[in-house]
Amino acid sequence: MIAYIIGGSGFGGCVDYVTRRKLEEKLYKEQSKGLKADERKYESNKGEDIIDHLSKDWKLISSSGDIRIYEGRKAMADDIARPSRQRKPVKDPVGHISLDFHPSDAPRMTDELMTEVAQDYLRQMGLTNTPYIVVRHYDKAHPHCHIVFSRVDYDGKILTQTTNFKKNERVCKALNLKHRLIQGRSKLNTDVSKLRGKEKVRYQLVNDIARVYLTPSVTDWDSYVDLLQKNGISVKEKIGKSGRVNLYYGVGKQEFWYKKLDPFLSRENLELKFKERREKQQEVTPEPKCVQQPVRKPAPKRVPQKSETTRPSVTKPQEQPKPIVIPPLPDGYMGARIAPHELARYQKGDAVCAYICKPDEIVGKHYWIWYDFKTAKPRCEPTPPPADRYIPEAFKRQMTASQSASVNNSQRAGITFSSPSFGGAPIQDEGFAHGLALTDDFKLWLSRHPDLTIEEALHRYREEQKTKQRRQGPKLH
């Protein structure tokens, strides 16, 4: 589940939009003229359980107690707008939020569960003491609902939480963990055949851009734009009213702001990724040496004379370099719960992800923890470590040697490890559409469940790890 904060121009227009007023007026005219009205029975609900509306693609599933839901759209809009009339007019008094759920959660997404998630979201965001309605829509492949409320509460106070996008992200992650929902961000795993209209074009465009981005020959912005244009995709930069340059992708007559497709597709982010790709390719294919080294003739072997006594050569033992050891994390570090195998990965120089709730935060979020070789201390950040972080070359060689030794030992014991195949071609770049690198343990688990998608497998894998951790119980000191 992910929440989109949308601005509203007016209470009446927002209520009309979520309750499909224009569409239903059109269908009513067709019906009154004796024409066959299109009831639009969508695959998500097959038109069932919605008998009051001609469009059969929306349903009022929840509201505050003071909303006159049986007296029409105008009465509902007036009741939601009532608190805003107690004070001077404010800019954008309408609150409008869309809660979008992953298509994999559709089988269990009943009206009761969706209402519970919507009310939990309002409470954790602090959007209480104000009138609201929750309307469910059935016009897309994924379940979603719209919340319309007043940004002025019953006491005349302005609710500013609708502009707190960081808190919105934390609350969504917390609700996904609580209700066991999938964080629906990536458009790459969506079945485009079930979509229609502009929504189908948008999802298909993301997939086409992804294929262009993952082409190994695309190493800079110009080659990226050229390959997009060869595939019928236009790229334009427009200056907005604020003076900022906005990037738009288009196909045919339709254009989309890059954030409507995926925030990953900004020019700044892509140029940074192209720079990293060029550096990786230069490391794999070093530049050839142009200067020829002079050929040296081997020196003639010296024949020892009879008078000389031959003594066995004594070689001094080479001093072995001291191994670099990463100290283990302190017990209860930052209040995080980290599995033993994750702690072992940390001591091998990898970054591990842990759920942490800091004292100044209402709900926790995932942080990345890794060992900083420069400060010789653990580091905890909300984002993954940079790709070019400092790791001593001696430590890299040390880890490579230990891995090769473990592989040799496993081969002697007759143990073989299997890894899943990803279409035969190695993934050149990870992170597209907010993807993360896959751990070895998760790859092994994924190979045993080939019928699951990456997101479904990751969700079940985390749940199993949490269950194992609870069975082990607290550590005794």
Side-chain angles (χ1 to χ4, degrees):
M1 185 272 291
I2 186 172
Y4 293 98
I5 299 175
I6 309 169
S9 57
F11 289 96
C14 197
V15 171
D16 288 348
Y17 169 75
V18 299
T19 58
R20 294 288 194 259
R21 178 173 182 171
K22 290 185 179 180
L23 176 60
E24 296 212 340
E25 287 178 349
K26 176 186 174 183
L27 296 176
Y28 180 77
K29 289 180 181 179
E30 293 176 353
Q31 193 180 54
S32 61
K33 292 180 181 180
L35 301 176
K36 185 178 180 181
D38 182 11
E39 293 186 349
R40 302 197 177 198
K41 295 184 178 181
Y42 298 97
E43 294 183 5
S44 55
N45 71 322
K46 298 181 181 179
E48 299 173 356
D49 198 28
I50 303 180
I51 58 176
D52 322 19
H53 318 304
L54 292 175
S55 63
K56 296 189 182 296
D57 67 346
W58 68 276
K59 183 179 182 182
L60 182 68
I61 59 175
S62 179
S63 66
S64 54
D66 55 345
I67 303 295
R68 292 172 291 171
I69 59 176
Y70 297 107
E71 296 186 24
R73 295 178 173 89
K74 188 177 185 303
M76 285 195 295
D78 289 342
D79 291 341
I80 300 173
R82 188 180 299 116
S84 63
R85 302 193 184 104
Q86 300 176 6
R87 53 169 297 153
K88 296 180 180 179
V90 298
K91 184 181 179 181
D92 297 330
V94 187
H96 182 192
I97 295 173
S98 173
L99 301 184
D100 289 36
F101 301 86
H102 195 274
S104 300
D105 291 328
R108 53 187 291 260
M109 191 51 59
T110 60
D111 293 342
E112 291 76 17
L113 178 57
M114 187 176 286
T115 300
E116 183 181 355
V117 174
Q119 292 176 348
D120 279 352
Y121 177 84
L122 290 172
R123 280 194 296 270
Q124 294 199 28
M125 284 292 290
L127 303 175
T128 56
N129 196 34
T130 186
Y132 71 90
I133 60 172
V134 182
V135 179
R136 179 171 185 171
H137 280 187
Y138 298 92
D139 58 333
K140 295 181 181 179
H142 63 280
H144 66 286
C145 65
H146 293 261
I147 306 175
V148 182
F149 60 96
S150 172
R151 291 186 63 243
V152 179
D153 66 7
Y154 293 117
D155 300 327
K157 182 181 177 181
I158 299 177
L159 301 175
T160 59
Q161 290 86 337
T162 51
T163 58
N164 193 339
F165 295 97
K166 290 185 177 180
K167 185 176 181 180
N168 171 61
E169 185 177 356
R170 293 199 302 268
V171 170
C172 287
K173 288 182 178 179
L175 291 179
N176 287 330
L177 291 173
K178 177 182 177 182
H179 298 282
R180 298 182 179 181
L181 302 174
I182 297 175
Q183 185 82 14
R185 283 198 168 196
S186 175
K187 298 179 179 64
L188 300 178
N189 295 326
T190 303
D191 187 1
V192 182
S193 62
K194 295 183 179 180
L195 303 177
R196 59 185 178 86
K198 190 174 182 179
E199 196 73 7
K200 182 176 182 178
V201 175
R202 184 163 67 97
Y203 276 74
Q204 185 62 52
L205 183 58
V206 174
N207 284 269
D208 294 340
I209 295 174
R211 282 193 292 270
V212 172
Y213 165 77
L214 293 173
T215 304
S217 60
V218 176
T219 56
D220 55 28
W221 178 256
D222 293 336
S223 60
Y224 171 70
V225 174
D226 290 342
L227 190 55
L228 285 176
Q229 291 177 350
K230 290 179 180 178
N231 286 271
I233 301 172
S234 63
V235 183
K236 296 180 181 179
E237 291 181 329
K238 300 180 182 180
I239 300 177
K241 295 181 180 179
S242 61
R244 298 181 61 183
V245 179
N246 294 321
L247 184 66
Y248 288 84
Y249 293 88
V251 56
K253 296 182 179 180
Q254 298 189 17
E255 286 186 347
F256 299 90
W257 185 32
Y258 79 94
K259 284 191 175 179
K260 293 292 184 181
L261 300 174
D262 197 290
F264 179 86
L265 298 175
S266 67
R267 177 165 182 172
E268 295 79 6
N269 184 61
L270 289 173
E271 287 187 336
L272 181 62
K273 295 295 182 183
F274 293 146
K275 181 181 177 182
E276 295 176 0
R277 183 179 293 177
R278 289 194 300 269
E279 292 175 352
K280 288 181 181 179
Q281 291 180 358
Q282 289 175 1
E283 291 177 0
V284 174
T285 57
E287 297 180 358
K289 296 180 180 180
C290 298
V291 181
Q292 294 182 356
Q293 299 294 333
V295 180
R296 295 183 180 180
K297 295 182 179 180
K301 295 183 180 180
R302 179 176 177 271
V303 180
Q305 301 295 329
K306 294 180 179 180
S307 59
E308 295 180 357
T309 58
T310 57
R311 295 180 181 178
S313 59
V314 179
T315 57
K316 294 182 179 179
Q318 295 181 354
E319 294 183 359
Q320 295 293 334
K322 293 183 179 179
I324 302 175
V325 179
I326 298 178
L329 278 173
D331 293 336
Y333 176 75
M334 300 288 290
R337 297 180 179 178
I338 307 177
H341 69 279
E342 293 288 331
L343 293 173
R345 287 184 56 234
Y346 166 81
Q347 289 191 276
K348 293 180 181 178
D350 296 338
V352 298
C353 188
Y355 185 77
I356 300 174
C357 185
K358 292 186 176 180
D360 57 339
E361 296 177 345
I362 298 178
V363 295
K365 60 181 180 180
H366 287 87
Y367 284 83
W368 291 87
I369 303 172
W370 69 91
Y371 184 75
D372 192 340
F373 287 93
K374 292 183 177 180
T375 60
K377 294 180 180 179
R379 188 169 175 180
C380 181
E381 298 291 342
T383 56
D388 57 347
R389 68 184 176 112
Y390 171 70
I391 300 177
E393 291 296 330
F395 184 79
K396 293 180 181 178
R397 292 193 296 269
Q398 181 179 312
M399 288 296 103
T400 303
S402 63
Q403 289 175 2
S404 60
S406 61
V407 171
N408 292 334
N409 292 335
S410 63
Q411 290 176 352
R412 292 192 192 101
I415 302 173
T416 57
F417 296 95
S418 60
S419 59
S421 173
F422 294 95
I427 298 176
Q428 300 291 338
D429 291 84
E430 293 174 340
F432 189 84
H434 309 283
L436 297 175
L438 305 179
T439 63
D440 294 336
D441 293 341
F442 175 65
K443 287 181 180 179
L444 182 61
W445 189 92
L446 183 63
S447 66
R448 298 169 181 169
H449 302 79
D451 56 327
L452 298 178
T453 63
I454 293 292
E455 292 184 352
E456 292 172 343
L458 188 59
H459 181 68
R460 287 184 52 183
Y461 174 75
R462 287 175 176 169
E463 291 296 328
E464 288 187 8
Q465 295 299 318
K466 290 178 183 178
T467 304
K468 291 180 182 178
Q469 207 169 2
R470 285 194 290 266
R471 289 174 180 172
Q472 290 175 358
K475 295 182 178 180
L476 300 177
H477 299 283

